[in-house]
Amino acid sequence: MTRTIAGTLLTAQTATSRTPYIKMVFTSKDGLTTRDFSTNSSAYGNRIKFIDHVEEAYNEYAVVVLRNSDKLIPSIKGYWTEIGYGDTTATGNEYAGDGVNGGSRATPRLWVKSQQTISAGGQLYTLLELEGMWAQMGETLIRLGTIPLYKNLFTATTIYLIIQNIIETQLSWNLDAIGTQSDSIIDVLTPDFALNEGSFETAASI
């Protein structure tokens, strides 16, 4: 995904000295609760100790370590975040993909898979392991068709509608491709497509 940045952020990134800014707001599954662990968080302050964030073609994951000596960090397992990296600029805190100059999502969405408290150097930290969409799909077995084998044969369904079925019905996500899915292939071809013929398949493999 192409990320665009404002001229002010580019200036800050190329300056002799800079003040890094990280946007990291965690949102609950129902969208009703947020926990702000950005570097300028008014609720928690700057607790970020370490981030190891990897983006690959079909995988994304991260390990985040937060300072937690006061034990005020609540459980955020299952929450999601889209980490944004940037700097403090002349006009405020900015990050790549923050919507300035046409930018969109900062980084691919990550979900907190595990959370644990660790001790190092006499200090307490919260260790978060986050995984992305492809990891979640790789862990989700598809159950369509008749139980217990869940075999299913698509015969008169376009490739696009098969993908939509897996993403929206099985994963309860939204396929944000309205107006862009037509390429005269995936929205036209209706192949015989069998699921779970040999063994249970995952959403990622499908």
Side-chain angles (χ1 to χ4, degrees), residues 155-170:
T155 55
T157 307
T158 64
I159 298 170
Y160 178 83
L161 290 178
I162 294 172
I163 295 172
Q164 185 180 47
N165 186 300
I166 297 299
I167 290 178
E168 296 189 346
T169 303
Q170 296 293 297

Side-chain angles (χ1 to χ4, degrees), residues 144 152 154-170 175 177-178 181-183 185-191 193 195 206:
L144 289 171
N152 191 75
F154 290 99
T155 55
T157 307
T158 64
I159 298 170
Y160 178 83
L161 290 178
I162 294 172
I163 295 172
Q164 185 180 47
N165 186 300
I166 297 299
I167 290 178
E168 296 189 346
T169 303
Q170 296 293 297
L175 181 59
I178 302 302
Q181 72 270 24
S182 178
D183 63 357
I185 300 175
I186 66 171
D187 61 319
V188 174
L189 294 182
T190 56
F193 190 80
L195 297 180
I206 293 170

Side-chain angles (χ1 to χ4, degrees), residues 35-203:
R35 302 293 184 185
D36 188 355
F37 291 104
S38 305
T39 51
N40 68 331
S41 171
S42 58
Y44 295 99
N46 183 8
R47 292 179 178 257
I48 300 172
K49 175 70 174 178
F50 173 81
I51 297 178
D52 182 15
H53 190 172
V54 178
E55 292 183 66
E56 299 174 341
Y58 296 101
N59 193 23
E60 52 274 330
Y61 54 92
V63 173
V64 175
V65 178
L66 303 173
R67 299 179 182 87
N68 193 24
S69 292
D70 53 11
K71 300 181 182 179
L72 291 180
I73 296 179
S75 172
I76 53 174
K77 186 175 179 180
Y79 283 49
W80 60 264
T81 188
E82 295 161 357
I83 305 174
Y85 299 98
D87 283 286
T88 298
T89 73
T91 58
N93 295 314
E94 298 179 25
Y95 58 91
D98 60 5
V100 179
N101 293 341
S104 55
R105 181 168 295 161
T107 55
R109 182 167 295 185
L110 298 171
W111 286 263
V112 180
K113 184 176 183 179
S114 71
Q115 176 177 345
Q116 58 182 309
T117 300
I118 60 174
S119 176
Q123 301 295 321
L124 290 179
Y125 299 92
T126 291
L127 175 66
L128 305 175
E129 294 182 77
L130 294 85
E131 65 178 11
M133 175 190 72
W134 284 99
Q136 287 212 348
M137 290 197 298
E139 298 168 355
T140 305
L141 296 177
I142 297 304
R143 294 177 171 87
L144 289 171
T146 306
I147 58 174
L149 299 180
Y150 292 103
K151 292 184 179 180
N152 191 75
L153 178 64
F154 290 99
T155 55
T157 307
T158 64
I159 298 170
Y160 178 83
L161 290 178
I162 294 172
I163 295 172
Q164 185 180 47
N165 186 300
I166 297 299
I167 290 178
E168 296 189 346
T169 303
Q170 296 293 297
L171 295 167
S172 298
W173 296 345
N174 293 321
L175 181 59
D176 188 12
I178 302 302
T180 62
Q181 72 270 24
S182 178
D183 63 357
S184 300
I185 300 175
I186 66 171
D187 61 319
V188 174
L189 294 182
T190 56
D192 288 347
F193 190 80
L195 297 180
N196 297 331
E197 280 297 303
S199 60
F200 288 119
E201 297 180 89
T202 67

